[in-house]
Amino acid sequence: MTMSDDPTRVAHATHPGRDDPHTAHVVDGNAVVGALEDLLAGDLSMLIVECGGCHRAAPLAEWRVEADRDAFIVRCRSCTHTLWTLMRGGDGPSLLIAGGCGLRRSPDDAERHPAG
């Protein structure tokens, strides 16, 4: 992780699934690149997606996708909440993530492609 000599401190940061507040630092986007590459490495069909609406979690391959010439819209099979939209435009693809959508590696895929 890259931090400046004088990082801005954010006191009492908390994260979902973690009860203990801790000190966090504000850094630039370069700090998250490696972790994001680890998340998206390997078989993306096995990437675990969690719905922000009903909290159902399943591999990407199991979600409902509506596709047309401009976009793929990934929706929850249980509650039809839109999870994300992958736009295919002249400037290349862009991903619009809906609020509350979670992504994580499946335990099986994480064993085949360890982080770090």
Side-chain angles (χ1 to χ4, degrees), residues 64-68 71-75:
R64 179 177 158 201
V65 177
E66 299 169 6
D68 64 21
F72 294 100
I73 301 170
V74 180
R75 298 175 64 106

Side-chain angles (χ1 to χ4, degrees), residues 25 30 44 52 58 64 75 103:
H25 300 276
N30 290 308
L44 293 182
R64 179 177 158 201
R75 298 175 64 106
L103 302 173

Side-chain angles (χ1 to χ4, degrees), residues 1 15 20 23 59 67 74 87 105:
M1 175 166 41
H15 300 282
D20 60 323
T23 301
V74 180
M87 301 295 298
R105 300 278 298 274

Side-chain angles (χ1 to χ4, degrees), residues 56-71:
R56 177 178 187 255
L60 176 57
E62 295 181 16
W63 293 94
R64 179 177 158 201
V65 177
E66 299 169 6
D68 64 21
R69 66 186 176 114
D70 298 319

Side-chain angles (χ1 to χ4, degrees), residues 57-100:
L60 176 57
E62 295 181 16
W63 293 94
R64 179 177 158 201
V65 177
E66 299 169 6
D68 64 21
R69 66 186 176 114
D70 298 319
F72 294 100
I73 301 170
V74 180
R75 298 175 64 106
C76 180
R77 285 192 185 274
S78 298
C79 72
T80 72
H81 181 80
T82 297
L83 304 172
W84 74 66
T85 303
L86 179 61
M87 301 295 298
R88 296 185 280 193
D91 294 334
S94 63
L95 185 62
L96 309 169
I97 300 175

